[in-house]
Coordinates of all heavy atoms in Angstrom, one line a residue:
M1 N -2.5 7.5 -9.6 CA -1.7 6.4 -10.2 C -0.8 5.8 -9.1 O -0.6 4.6 -9.2 CB -0.9 6.9 -11.4 CG -1.8 7.2 -12.6 SD -0.8 7.6 -14.1 CE -0.3 9.3 -13.6
L2 N -0.4 6.6 -8.2 CA 0.5 6.1 -7.1 C -0.3 5.1 -6.3 O 0.3 4.2 -5.8 CB 0.9 7.2 -6.2 CG 2.0 8.2 -6.7 CD1 2.3 9.3 -5.8 CD2 3.3 7.4 -7.0
L3 N -1.6 5.3 -6.1 CA -2.3 4.4 -5.2 C -3.0 3.2 -5.9 O -3.7 2.5 -5.3 CB -3.3 5.2 -4.4 CG -2.7 6.3 -3.5 CD1 -3.8 7.1 -2.8 CD2 -1.8 5.7 -2.5
T4 N -2.8 3.1 -7.2 CA -3.3 2.0 -8.0 C -2.3 0.9 -8.0 O -1.1 1.2 -8.1 CB -3.6 2.5 -9.5 OG1 -4.5 3.5 -9.4 CG2 -4.1 1.4 -10.3
R5 N -2.7 -0.3 -7.9 CA -1.8 -1.4 -7.9 C -1.0 -1.3 -9.2 O -1.7 -1.2 -10.3 CB -2.5 -2.8 -7.8 CG -3.1 -3.0 -6.5 CD -3.7 -4.4 -6.5 NE -4.4 -4.6 -5.2 CZ -4.4 -5.7 -4.6 NH1 -3.9 -6.8 -5.1 NH2 -5.1 -5.8 -3.4
P6 N 0.3 -1.4 -9.2 CA 1.1 -1.3 -10.4 C 0.7 -2.2 -11.5 O 0.7 -1.8 -12.7 CB 2.5 -1.6 -9.9 CG 2.5 -1.3 -8.5 CD 1.1 -1.6 -8.0
D7 N 0.2 -3.4 -11.2 CA -0.2 -4.4 -12.3 C -1.5 -4.0 -12.9 O -1.9 -4.6 -13.9 CB -0.2 -5.8 -11.8 CG -1.0 -6.0 -10.5 OD1 -1.3 -5.1 -9.8 OD2 -1.4 -7.2 -10.3
N8 N -2.2 -3.0 -12.3 CA -3.5 -2.6 -12.8 C -3.3 -1.3 -13.7 O -4.3 -0.9 -14.3 CB -4.5 -2.2 -11.7 CG -5.0 -3.5 -11.0 OD1 -4.9 -4.6 -11.6 ND2 -5.6 -3.3 -9.9
L9 N -2.1 -0.8 -13.8 CA -1.9 0.4 -14.6 C -1.6 0.0 -16.0 O -1.0 -1.1 -16.3 CB -0.7 1.2 -14.1 CG -0.8 1.9 -12.8 CD1 0.6 2.5 -12.4 CD2 -1.9 3.0 -12.8
K10 N -2.1 0.8 -17.0 CA -1.9 0.5 -18.4 C -0.5 1.0 -18.7 O 0.1 1.8 -17.9 CB -2.9 1.3 -19.2 CG -4.3 0.8 -19.0 CD -5.3 1.6 -19.8 CE -6.7 1.2 -19.5 NZ -7.7 2.1 -20.0
A11 N 0.1 0.5 -19.8 CA 1.5 0.9 -20.2 C 1.7 2.4 -20.2 O 2.7 2.9 -19.7 CB 1.8 0.3 -21.5
E12 N 0.7 3.1 -20.8 CA 0.8 4.6 -20.9 C 0.8 5.2 -19.5 O 1.4 6.3 -19.3 CB -0.2 5.2 -21.8 CG -1.6 5.0 -21.4 CD -2.3 3.7 -22.0 OE1 -1.6 2.9 -22.6 OE2 -3.5 3.6 -21.9
Q13 N 0.1 4.6 -18.6 CA 0.0 5.2 -17.2 C 1.4 5.0 -16.5 O 1.8 5.8 -15.8 CB -1.1 4.5 -16.4 CG -2.5 5.0 -16.9 CD -3.6 4.2 -16.2 OE1 -3.5 3.0 -16.1 NE2 -4.6 4.9 -15.8
H14 N 2.0 3.8 -16.8 CA 3.3 3.6 -16.2 C 4.3 4.6 -16.7 O 5.1 5.2 -16.0 CB 3.9 2.2 -16.6 CG 3.3 1.1 -15.7 ND1 3.7 0.9 -14.4 CD2 2.4 0.1 -16.0 CE1 3.0 -0.2 -13.9 NE2 2.2 -0.6 -14.9
G15 N 4.2 4.9 -18.0 CA 5.1 5.9 -18.7 C 4.8 7.3 -18.1 O 5.8 8.0 -17.8
L16 N 3.6 7.7 -17.9 CA 3.2 9.0 -17.4 C 3.7 9.1 -15.9 O 4.3 10.1 -15.5 CB 1.7 9.2 -17.5 CG 1.2 10.6 -16.9 CD1 1.9 11.7 -17.5 CD2 -0.3 10.6 -17.0
L17 N 3.5 8.1 -15.2 CA 4.0 8.1 -13.8 C 5.5 8.2 -13.7 O 6.0 9.0 -12.9 CB 3.5 6.8 -13.1 CG 3.9 6.7 -11.6 CD1 3.3 7.9 -10.8 CD2 3.3 5.4 -11.0
A18 N 6.2 7.6 -14.6 CA 7.7 7.7 -14.6 C 8.1 9.1 -15.0 O 9.0 9.7 -14.4 CB 8.3 6.7 -15.7
K19 N 7.4 9.7 -16.0 CA 7.7 11.1 -16.3 C 7.4 12.1 -15.2 O 8.2 13.0 -14.9 CB 6.9 11.5 -17.6 CG 7.3 10.9 -18.9 CD 6.4 11.3 -20.0 CE 6.9 10.6 -21.3 NZ 6.0 10.9 -22.4
L20 N 6.2 11.9 -14.5 CA 5.9 12.8 -13.4 C 6.9 12.7 -12.3 O 7.2 13.7 -11.7 CB 4.4 12.5 -13.0 CG 3.3 12.8 -13.9 CD1 2.0 12.3 -13.4 CD2 3.2 14.3 -14.2
T21 N 7.2 11.4 -12.0 CA 8.2 11.2 -10.9 C 9.5 11.8 -11.3 O 10.2 12.5 -10.4 CB 8.4 9.7 -10.6 OG1 7.1 9.2 -10.3 CG2 9.3 9.5 -9.5
A22 N 10.0 11.7 -12.5 CA 11.3 12.3 -12.9 C 11.2 13.8 -12.9 O 12.2 14.5 -12.6 CB 11.6 11.8 -14.3
A23 N 10.0 14.4 -13.2 CA 9.9 15.9 -13.2 C 9.8 16.4 -11.7 O 10.1 17.6 -11.5 CB 8.6 16.2 -13.9
C24 N 9.5 15.6 -10.8 CA 9.4 16.0 -9.4 C 10.2 15.0 -8.5 O 9.6 14.0 -8.0 CB 7.9 16.0 -9.0 SG 7.7 16.6 -7.3
P25 N 11.5 15.2 -8.4 CA 12.3 14.3 -7.7 C 11.9 14.0 -6.3 O 12.2 12.9 -5.7 CB 13.7 15.0 -7.7 CG 13.7 15.9 -8.8 CD 12.2 16.4 -8.9
E26 N 11.1 14.9 -5.7 CA 10.6 14.6 -4.3 C 9.7 13.5 -4.3 O 9.4 12.9 -3.2 CB 9.9 15.9 -3.7 CG 10.8 17.1 -3.5 CD 11.0 17.9 -4.8 OE1 10.3 17.7 -5.8 OE2 11.9 18.8 -4.8
M27 N 9.2 13.1 -5.4 CA 8.2 12.0 -5.5 C 8.9 10.6 -5.7 O 8.2 9.6 -5.6 CB 7.2 12.2 -6.6 CG 6.2 13.3 -6.3 SD 5.3 13.1 -4.8 CE 4.4 11.6 -5.1
I28 N 10.2 10.6 -5.9 CA 10.8 9.3 -6.2 C 10.7 8.3 -5.0 O 10.3 7.2 -5.2 CB 12.3 9.5 -6.6 CG1 12.3 10.2 -8.0 CG2 13.1 8.2 -6.7 CD1 13.7 10.7 -8.4
Q29 N 11.1 8.8 -3.8 CA 11.0 7.9 -2.7 C 9.6 7.5 -2.3 O 9.3 6.3 -2.1 CB 11.7 8.6 -1.5 CG 13.2 8.5 -1.4 CD 13.7 9.0 -0.1 OE1 13.4 10.1 0.3 NE2 14.6 8.2 0.5
P30 N 8.6 8.5 -2.3 CA 7.3 8.0 -1.9 C 6.7 7.0 -3.0 O 6.0 6.1 -2.6 CB 6.4 9.3 -1.9 CG 7.4 10.4 -1.9 CD 8.7 9.9 -2.3
A31 N 7.0 7.3 -4.2 CA 6.5 6.4 -5.3 C 7.0 5.0 -5.2 O 6.3 4.0 -5.3 CB 6.8 7.0 -6.7
A32 N 8.3 4.9 -4.9 CA 9.0 3.6 -4.7 C 8.4 2.9 -3.5 O 8.2 1.7 -3.5 CB 10.5 3.8 -4.6
A33 N 8.2 3.6 -2.4 CA 7.7 3.0 -1.1 C 6.3 2.5 -1.4 O 6.0 1.4 -0.9 CB 7.7 4.0 0.0
I34 N 5.5 3.3 -2.0 CA 4.1 2.8 -2.3 C 4.1 1.6 -3.3 O 3.4 0.7 -3.0 CB 3.3 4.0 -2.9 CG1 3.1 5.1 -1.8 CG2 1.9 3.5 -3.4 CD1 2.6 6.4 -2.4
R35 N 4.9 1.7 -4.3 CA 5.1 0.6 -5.2 C 5.5 -0.7 -4.5 O 5.0 -1.8 -4.8 CB 6.0 0.9 -6.4 CG 6.1 -0.1 -7.4 CD 7.1 0.3 -8.5 NE 8.5 0.4 -7.9 CZ 9.1 1.6 -7.9 NH1 8.6 2.7 -8.4 NH2 10.3 1.6 -7.3
D36 N 6.4 -0.6 -3.6 CA 7.0 -1.7 -2.8 C 5.9 -2.3 -1.8 O 6.0 -3.4 -1.5 CB 8.2 -1.3 -2.1 CG 9.4 -1.1 -3.0 OD1 9.3 -1.4 -4.2 OD2 10.4 -0.5 -2.5
F37 N 5.0 -1.4 -1.4 CA 4.0 -1.9 -0.5 C 2.9 -2.7 -1.2 O 2.3 -3.6 -0.6 CB 3.4 -0.7 0.3 CG 2.4 -1.1 1.4 CD1 2.8 -1.5 2.6 CD2 1.0 -1.1 1.1 CE1 1.9 -1.8 3.6 CE2 0.1 -1.4 2.1 CZ 0.6 -1.8 3.3
A38 N 2.6 -2.3 -2.4 CA 1.5 -2.9 -3.2 C 1.4 -4.4 -3.2 O 0.4 -5.0 -2.9 CB 1.4 -2.3 -4.6
P39 N 2.6 -5.1 -3.4 CA 2.5 -6.6 -3.4 C 2.1 -7.2 -2.1 O 1.6 -8.3 -2.0 CB 3.9 -7.0 -3.7 CG 4.6 -5.8 -4.4 CD 3.9 -4.6 -3.8
L40 N 2.3 -6.4 -1.0 CA 1.9 -7.0 0.3 C 0.4 -7.1 0.5 O -0.1 -7.8 1.4 CB 2.4 -6.0 1.4 CG 3.9 -5.9 1.5 CD1 4.3 -4.9 2.6 CD2 4.6 -7.2 1.8
L41 N -0.4 -6.5 -0.4 CA -1.8 -6.5 -0.4 C -2.4 -7.8 -0.9 O -3.6 -8.0 -0.8 CB -2.4 -5.3 -1.1 CG -2.0 -3.9 -0.5 CD1 -2.6 -2.8 -1.3 CD2 -2.5 -3.8 1.0
V42 N -1.6 -8.6 -1.5 CA -2.0 -10.0 -1.9 C -1.5 -10.9 -0.8 O -0.3 -11.1 -0.6 CB -1.3 -10.3 -3.3 CG1 -1.7 -11.8 -3.7 CG2 -1.8 -9.3 -4.3
P43 N -2.4 -11.5 -0.1 CA -2.0 -12.3 1.1 C -1.0 -13.4 0.7 O -1.1 -14.1 -0.3 CB -3.3 -13.0 1.5 CG -4.4 -12.0 1.1 CD -3.9 -11.5 -0.2
H44 N 0.1 -13.5 1.5 CA 1.1 -14.5 1.3 C 1.8 -14.7 2.7 O 2.0 -13.8 3.4 CB 2.1 -14.0 0.3 CG 3.1 -15.1 -0.1 ND1 4.2 -15.3 0.6 CD2 3.1 -15.9 -1.2 CE1 4.9 -16.3 0.0 NE2 4.2 -16.7 -1.1
A45 N 2.2 -15.9 2.9 CA 2.9 -16.2 4.2 C 4.1 -15.4 4.5 O 4.4 -15.1 5.7 CB 3.2 -17.7 4.3
D46 N 4.8 -15.0 3.5 CA 6.1 -14.2 3.7 C 5.8 -12.7 3.9 O 6.8 -12.0 4.2 CB 7.0 -14.4 2.5 CG 7.5 -15.8 2.3 OD1 7.5 -16.5 3.3 OD2 7.8 -16.2 1.2
N47 N 4.6 -12.3 3.8 CA 4.3 -10.8 3.9 C 4.6 -10.2 5.3 O 4.9 -9.0 5.3 CB 2.8 -10.5 3.5 CG 2.7 -10.6 2.0 OD1 3.6 -10.7 1.2 ND2 1.4 -10.5 1.6
A48 N 4.5 -10.9 6.4 CA 4.8 -10.4 7.7 C 6.3 -9.9 7.7 O 6.6 -8.8 8.2 CB 4.5 -11.4 8.8
D49 N 7.2 -10.8 7.2 CA 8.6 -10.4 7.2 C 8.8 -9.3 6.2 O 9.6 -8.4 6.4 CB 9.5 -11.6 6.8 CG 9.5 -12.6 7.9 OD1 9.3 -12.3 9.1 OD2 9.7 -13.8 7.6
A50 N 8.1 -9.4 5.0 CA 8.3 -8.3 4.0 C 7.8 -7.0 4.6 O 8.4 -5.9 4.3 CB 7.5 -8.7 2.7
L51 N 6.7 -7.0 5.4 CA 6.2 -5.7 6.0 C 7.3 -5.2 6.9 O 7.5 -4.0 6.9 CB 4.9 -6.0 6.7 CG 4.3 -4.7 7.4 CD1 4.1 -3.6 6.4 CD2 3.1 -5.1 8.2
S52 N 7.9 -6.0 7.7 CA 9.0 -5.5 8.6 C 10.1 -4.9 7.8 O 10.5 -3.8 8.2 CB 9.5 -6.7 9.4 OG 8.5 -7.2 10.3
H53 N 10.5 -5.5 6.8 CA 11.5 -4.9 5.9 C 11.0 -3.6 5.3 O 11.8 -2.6 5.3 CB 11.9 -5.9 4.8 CG 12.9 -5.4 3.9 ND1 14.2 -5.2 4.2 CD2 12.8 -4.9 2.6 CE1 14.9 -4.7 3.2 NE2 14.0 -4.5 2.2
W54 N 9.8 -3.5 4.9 CA 9.2 -2.3 4.3 C 9.2 -1.2 5.3 O 9.6 0.0 5.0 CB 7.8 -2.5 3.8 CG 7.2 -1.4 3.0 CD1 7.4 -1.0 1.7 CD2 6.4 -0.4 3.6 NE1 6.7 0.1 1.5 CE2 6.1 0.6 2.6 CE3 5.9 -0.2 4.9 CZ2 5.2 1.7 2.8 CZ3 5.0 0.9 5.1 CH2 4.7 1.8 4.1
I55 N 8.8 -1.5 6.5 CA 8.8 -0.5 7.6 C 10.2 0.1 7.9 O 10.4 1.3 8.1 CB 8.1 -1.0 8.9 CG1 6.6 -1.2 8.6 CG2 8.3 -0.1 10.1 CD1 5.8 -1.9 9.7
V56 N 11.2 -0.8 7.9 CA 12.5 -0.3 8.2 C 13.0 0.6 7.1 O 13.6 1.7 7.3 CB 13.5 -1.5 8.3 CG1 14.9 -1.1 8.2 CG2 13.2 -2.3 9.6
Q57 N 12.7 0.3 5.8 CA 13.0 1.2 4.7 C 12.3 2.5 4.8 O 13.0 3.5 4.6 CB 12.7 0.5 3.4 CG 13.6 -0.6 3.0 CD 13.3 -1.2 1.6 OE1 12.1 -1.4 1.3 NE2 14.3 -1.3 0.8
V58 N 11.0 2.5 5.1 CA 10.3 3.8 5.2 C 10.8 4.6 6.4 O 11.0 5.8 6.2 CB 8.8 3.5 5.4 CG1 8.0 4.7 5.8 CG2 8.2 2.9 4.1
R59 N 11.1 4.0 7.5 CA 11.7 4.8 8.6 C 13.0 5.4 8.3 O 13.3 6.5 8.8 CB 11.9 3.9 9.8 CG 10.6 3.6 10.5 CD 11.0 2.8 11.8 NE 9.8 2.6 12.6 CZ 9.6 1.6 13.4 NH1 10.6 0.7 13.6 NH2 8.5 1.4 14.1
G60 N 13.8 4.8 7.4 CA 15.1 5.4 7.0 C 15.0 6.5 5.9 O 16.0 7.1 5.6
A61 N 13.8 6.7 5.4 CA 13.6 7.8 4.4 C 12.9 9.0 5.1 O 12.3 8.9 6.1 CB 12.7 7.2 3.3
D62 N 13.1 10.1 4.4 CA 12.4 11.3 4.9 C 11.0 11.4 4.3 O 10.7 12.2 3.4 CB 13.3 12.5 4.4 CG 12.7 13.8 4.9 OD1 12.0 13.8 6.0 OD2 13.0 14.9 4.3
L63 N 10.1 10.6 4.9 CA 8.8 10.5 4.4 C 7.8 10.5 5.6 O 7.3 9.5 6.0 CB 8.6 9.1 3.6 CG 9.5 8.9 2.4 CD1 9.4 7.5 1.9 CD2 9.1 9.9 1.3
P64 N 7.6 11.7 6.2 CA 6.8 11.8 7.4 C 5.4 11.2 7.3 O 4.9 10.6 8.3 CB 6.8 13.3 7.7 CG 7.4 14.0 6.6 CD 8.1 13.0 5.7
H65 N 4.7 11.3 6.2 CA 3.4 10.7 6.1 C 3.4 9.2 6.1 O 2.6 8.6 6.7 CB 2.7 11.3 4.8 CG 2.4 12.7 4.9 ND1 1.7 13.4 5.9 CD2 2.8 13.7 4.1 CE1 1.7 14.7 5.7 NE2 2.4 14.9 4.6
L66 N 4.4 8.7 5.5 CA 4.6 7.2 5.5 C 5.1 6.7 6.8 O 4.7 5.6 7.2 CB 5.5 6.7 4.3 CG 4.8 6.8 3.0 CD1 5.8 6.3 1.9 CD2 3.5 6.0 2.9
H67 N 5.8 7.6 7.6 CA 6.2 7.2 8.9 C 4.9 7.0 9.8 O 4.8 6.1 10.5 CB 7.1 8.3 9.6 CG 8.4 8.4 9.0 ND1 9.3 9.3 9.4 CD2 9.0 7.7 8.0 CE1 10.4 9.2 8.7 NE2 10.3 8.2 7.8
A68 N 4.0 8.0 9.6 CA 2.7 7.9 10.4 C 2.0 6.6 10.0 O 1.4 5.9 10.8 CB 1.9 9.1 10.2
F69 N 1.9 6.3 8.7 CA 1.2 5.1 8.2 C 1.9 3.9 8.8 O 1.2 3.0 9.3 CB 1.3 5.1 6.7 CG 0.7 3.9 6.1 CD1 -0.7 3.6 6.2 CD2 1.4 3.0 5.4 CE1 -1.3 2.5 5.7 CE2 0.9 1.8 4.8 CZ -0.5 1.6 4.9
A70 N 3.2 3.8 8.8 CA 4.0 2.7 9.4 C 3.7 2.5 10.9 O 3.5 1.4 11.3 CB 5.4 2.8 9.1
R71 N 3.6 3.6 11.6 CA 3.3 3.6 13.0 C 1.9 3.0 13.2 O 1.7 2.2 14.1 CB 3.4 4.9 13.7 CG 4.8 5.4 14.0 CD 4.9 6.6 14.9 NE 4.1 7.7 14.4 CZ 4.6 8.6 13.5 NH1 5.8 8.6 13.1 NH2 3.8 9.6 13.1
G72 N 1.0 3.4 12.4 CA -0.4 2.8 12.5 C -0.4 1.3 12.3 O -1.1 0.6 12.9
L73 N 0.4 0.9 11.3 CA 0.5 -0.5 11.0 C 1.0 -1.3 12.2 O 0.6 -2.4 12.5 CB 1.3 -0.8 9.8 CG 0.8 -0.3 8.4 CD1 1.9 -0.5 7.3 CD2 -0.5 -1.0 8.0
E74 N 2.0 -0.7 12.8 CA 2.7 -1.4 13.9 C 1.8 -1.4 15.2 O 1.9 -2.3 16.0 CB 4.0 -0.7 14.2 CG 5.0 -1.1 13.2 CD 6.4 -0.6 13.5 OE1 6.6 0.6 13.9 OE2 7.3 -1.4 13.5
R75 N 0.9 -0.4 15.3 CA 0.0 -0.4 16.5 C -0.9 -1.6 16.6 O -1.2 -2.0 17.7 CB -0.8 0.9 16.5 CG -0.2 2.0 17.3 CD -1.1 3.2 17.4 NE -0.3 4.3 17.0 CZ -0.7 5.1 16.0 NH1 -1.8 5.0 15.3 NH2 0.1 6.1 15.6
D76 N -1.3 -2.1 15.4 CA -2.2 -3.2 15.4 C -1.5 -4.3 14.6 O -2.2 -4.9 13.7 CB -3.5 -2.8 14.9 CG -4.6 -3.8 15.3 OD1 -4.3 -4.8 16.0 OD2 -5.7 -3.7 14.8
R77 N -0.3 -4.6 14.8 CA 0.5 -5.5 14.0 C -0.1 -6.9 13.8 O 0.0 -7.5 12.7 CB 2.0 -5.6 14.5 CG 2.9 -6.3 13.7 CD 3.1 -5.6 12.3 NE 3.8 -6.4 11.4 CZ 5.1 -6.2 11.1 NH1 5.8 -5.3 11.7 NH2 5.7 -7.0 10.2
D78 N -0.7 -7.4 14.9 CA -1.2 -8.8 14.8 C -2.4 -8.8 13.7 O -2.4 -9.7 12.9 CB -1.8 -9.3 16.1 CG -0.7 -9.6 17.1 OD1 0.5 -9.8 16.7 OD2 -1.0 -9.7 18.3
A79 N -3.2 -7.8 13.7 CA -4.3 -7.7 12.8 C -3.8 -7.5 11.4 O -4.2 -8.1 10.4 CB -5.3 -6.7 13.1
V80 N -2.8 -6.6 11.3 CA -2.2 -6.3 9.9 C -1.5 -7.6 9.4 O -1.7 -7.9 8.2 CB -1.2 -5.1 10.1 CG1 -0.4 -4.9 8.7 CG2 -1.9 -3.9 10.4
N81 N -0.8 -8.3 10.2 CA -0.1 -9.5 9.8 C -1.2 -10.5 9.3 O -1.0 -11.2 8.3 CB 0.7 -10.1 10.9 CG 2.1 -9.4 11.0 OD1 2.5 -8.6 10.2 ND2 2.7 -9.7 12.1
A82 N -2.3 -10.6 10.0 CA -3.3 -11.6 9.6 C -3.9 -11.1 8.2 O -4.1 -12.0 7.4 CB -4.4 -11.6 10.6
A83 N -4.1 -9.9 8.1 CA -4.7 -9.4 6.8 C -3.7 -9.6 5.6 O -4.2 -9.9 4.5 CB -5.0 -7.9 6.9
L84 N -2.4 -9.5 5.9 CA -1.5 -9.6 4.8 C -1.0 -11.0 4.5 O -0.4 -11.3 3.5 CB -0.2 -8.7 5.1 CG -0.5 -7.2 5.2 CD1 0.8 -6.5 5.5 CD2 -1.2 -6.7 4.0
T85 N -1.3 -11.9 5.5 CA -0.8 -13.3 5.3 C -1.9 -14.4 5.1 O -1.6 -15.4 4.5 CB 0.1 -13.7 6.5 OG1 -0.7 -13.7 7.7 CG2 1.3 -12.8 6.6
L86 N -3.1 -14.1 5.6 CA -4.1 -15.1 5.5 C -5.0 -14.9 4.3 O -5.3 -13.7 3.9 CB -5.0 -15.1 6.8 CG -4.2 -15.3 8.1 CD1 -5.1 -15.2 9.3 CD2 -3.6 -16.7 8.1
P87 N -5.6 -16.0 3.8 CA -6.4 -15.8 2.6 C -7.9 -15.4 2.8 O -8.6 -15.4 1.9 CB -6.4 -17.3 2.0 CG -6.3 -18.1 3.2 CD -5.4 -17.4 4.2
Y88 N -8.2 -15.0 4.0 CA -9.6 -14.6 4.3 C -9.8 -13.2 4.1 O -8.9 -12.3 4.2 CB -9.9 -14.9 5.8 CG -9.5 -16.3 6.2 CD1 -8.4 -16.5 7.1 CD2 -10.1 -17.4 5.7 CE1 -8.0 -17.8 7.4 CE2 -9.7 -18.7 6.0 CZ -8.6 -18.9 6.9 OH -8.2 -20.1 7.2
S89 N -11.0 -12.8 3.7 CA -11.4 -11.5 3.4 C -12.9 -11.2 3.8 O -13.7 -12.1 3.6 CB -11.2 -11.2 1.9 OG -11.8 -9.9 1.6
N90 N -13.1 -10.0 4.3 CA -14.5 -9.6 4.5 C -15.0 -8.7 3.4 O -16.0 -8.1 3.6 CB -14.7 -9.0 5.9 CG -14.0 -7.6 6.0 OD1 -13.2 -7.3 5.2 ND2 -14.4 -6.9 7.0
G91 N -14.3 -8.7 2.3 CA -14.7 -7.8 1.2 C -16.1 -8.0 0.7 O -16.9 -7.0 0.6
P92 N -16.6 -9.3 0.5 CA -18.0 -9.4 0.1 C -19.0 -8.9 1.1 O -20.0 -8.3 0.8 CB -18.1 -11.0 0.0 CG -16.8 -11.4 -0.3 CD -15.9 -10.5 0.5
T93 N -18.7 -9.1 2.4 CA -19.6 -8.5 3.4 C -19.6 -7.0 3.4 O -20.6 -6.4 3.5 CB -19.1 -9.0 4.8 OG1 -19.1 -10.5 4.8 CG2 -20.0 -8.5 5.9
E94 N -18.4 -6.4 3.3 CA -18.3 -5.0 3.2 C -19.0 -4.4 2.0 O -19.7 -3.4 2.1 CB -16.8 -4.5 3.2 CG -16.1 -4.8 4.5 CD -16.6 -4.0 5.7 OE1 -17.1 -2.8 5.5 OE2 -16.6 -4.5 6.8
G95 N -18.9 -5.1 0.9 CA -19.6 -4.7 -0.3 C -21.2 -4.6 -0.1 O -21.8 -3.7 -0.6
V96 N -21.7 -5.6 0.6 CA -23.1 -5.7 0.9 C -23.5 -4.6 1.9 O -24.5 -3.9 1.7 CB -23.6 -7.1 1.4 CG1 -25.0 -7.0 1.9 CG2 -23.4 -8.1 0.2
N97 N -22.7 -4.5 2.9 CA -23.0 -3.5 4.0 C -22.9 -2.1 3.6 O -23.5 -1.2 4.1 CB -22.2 -3.8 5.2 CG -22.5 -5.1 5.9 OD1 -23.6 -5.6 5.8 ND2 -21.6 -5.6 6.7
C98 N -22.0 -1.8 2.7 CA -21.7 -0.4 2.3 C -22.3 0.0 1.0 O -22.1 1.1 0.5 CB -20.2 -0.2 2.2 SG -19.3 -0.5 3.8
E99 N -23.0 -0.9 0.4 CA -23.6 -0.6 -0.9 C -24.6 0.5 -0.8 O -25.5 0.5 0.1 CB -24.3 -1.9 -1.5 CG -24.8 -1.7 -2.9 CD -25.4 -3.0 -3.4 OE1 -24.9 -4.1 -3.1 OE2 -26.3 -2.9 -4.2
T100 N -24.6 1.4 -1.7 CA -25.5 2.5 -1.6 C -26.4 2.5 -2.9 O -26.0 2.1 -3.9 CB -24.8 3.9 -1.6 OG1 -24.0 4.0 -2.7 CG2 -24.0 4.0 -0.3
G101 N -27.6 2.8 -2.7 CA -28.6 2.9 -3.8 C -29.1 4.3 -4.1 O -28.6 5.2 -3.5
P102 N -30.0 4.4 -4.9 CA -30.6 5.7 -5.2 C -31.3 6.3 -4.0 O -31.8 5.6 -3.1 CB -31.6 5.5 -6.3 CG -31.8 4.0 -6.4 CD -30.7 3.3 -5.7
L103 N -31.1 7.6 -3.9 CA -31.8 8.3 -2.7 C -33.3 8.4 -2.9 O -33.7 8.7 -4.0 CB -31.2 9.7 -2.5 CG -29.7 9.7 -2.2 CD1 -29.2 11.1 -2.2 CD2 -29.4 9.0 -0.9
D104 N -34.0 8.2 -1.9 CA -35.5 8.3 -2.0 C -35.9 9.7 -1.7 O -35.4 10.3 -0.9 CB -36.2 7.3 -1.1 CG -35.9 5.8 -1.6 OD1 -36.2 5.6 -2.7 OD2 -35.5 5.0 -0.7

């Protein structure tokens, strides 16, 4: 549920996620960081600045796995910015190239 776009979760899933997060306080920060990152996956001109803000927030938290993710984003920042801000996608191509069928 953490890795599902929040707008794709059903109401009961939002409720369950809230209960699970409340039961495990260590998950509050990672859940919030992931939730805050999700809107960046919809290309928009402001996403490059929003990503910079997100990275600053993640660096200020005790989230080593997200620190590593943020470093990876920064290593190829030009490509990441393009992916998060431009309306182009290679999704259809990837779908055709990666489609698997029955094994012969």
Side-chain angles (χ1 to χ4, degrees):
M1 287 184 290
L2 285 175
L3 299 178
T4 300
R5 288 183 188 218
D7 55 338
N8 288 344
L9 292 175
K10 297 176 184 170
E12 60 269 11
Q13 291 173 314
H14 281 286
L16 178 58
L17 184 56
K19 287 179 184 177
L20 292 172
T21 303
C24 184
E26 295 84 8
M27 290 304 299
I28 292 171
Q29 278 187 313
I34 293 167
R35 183 183 61 245
D36 292 345
F37 186 81
L40 298 176
L41 298 176
V42 176
H44 189 277
D46 296 336
N47 281 353
D49 291 335
L51 178 62
S52 295
H53 178 73
W54 184 85
I55 289 172
V56 168
Q57 285 185 313
V58 165
R59 281 186 177 155
D62 184 21
L63 301 170
H65 295 301
L66 287 181
H67 291 178
F69 177 65
R71 281 192 305 273
L73 293 173
E74 288 189 309
R75 265 187 235 121
D76 200 6
R77 188 61 189 263
D78 289 340
V80 172
N81 283 346
L84 298 180
T85 61
L86 300 175
Y88 311 110
S89 170
N90 69 342
T93 303
E94 291 296 326
V96 170
N97 290 338
C98 297
E99 188 175 324
T100 59
L103 298 175
D104 291 308

